[in-house]
Amino acid sequence: MREILFRGYSKNEEKWVYGCLTLNYTIIDKCGDEWQVEPSSIGQYTGYRDIDGNKIFEGDVLYLDGSYFTIEDMRAMSGDKAARATIAAHNYKVD
């Protein structure tokens, strides 16, 4: 079972924050601090990590065979390309 974790960008703090998501676009981190985030920046942890061990979130851009794609694109792929995209998610650094 994968960890349930959200990420969003706080314009006020100019940084990415991680934690639990509330209904009013607030993320509460492990320390209990609350961060108002941009709704369009919110992504849930996919359960995948890149080659450096960084968590991959919905909306991250990955690279495979000379093409860039998102996790959402990968989920729509079928067969061998989807399998290779999954491998890419585990082997390529997310930019």
Side-chain angles (χ1 to χ4, degrees), residues 46-84:
T46 62
Y48 296 114
R49 290 179 180 260
D50 68 16
I51 196 168
D52 296 322
N54 299 312
K55 293 177 180 178
I56 298 175
F57 288 80
E58 294 172 341
D60 283 348
V61 177
L62 305 173
Y63 182 79
L64 173 68
D65 295 340
S67 299
Y68 292 93
F69 62 95
T70 65
I71 289 293
E72 292 79 7
D73 296 331
M74 185 178 81
R75 290 180 178 151
M77 293 176 191
S78 61
D80 182 56
K81 186 159 186 166
R84 289 186 300 116

Side-chain angles (χ1 to χ4, degrees), residues 6-10 13 15-19 27 35-37:
F6 289 88
R7 170 187 75 183
Y9 189 77
S10 171
E13 299 296 322
K15 68 178 185 177
W16 290 96
V17 294
Y18 303 83
I27 290 184
W35 307 91
Q36 192 69 36
V37 297

Side-chain angles (χ1 to χ4, degrees), residues 22-39:
T22 68
L23 294 176
N24 62 347
Y25 306 117
T26 299
I27 290 184
I28 302 171
D29 67 17
K30 290 180 182 179
C31 296
D33 295 328
E34 296 185 14
W35 307 91
Q36 192 69 36
V37 297
E38 291 298 308

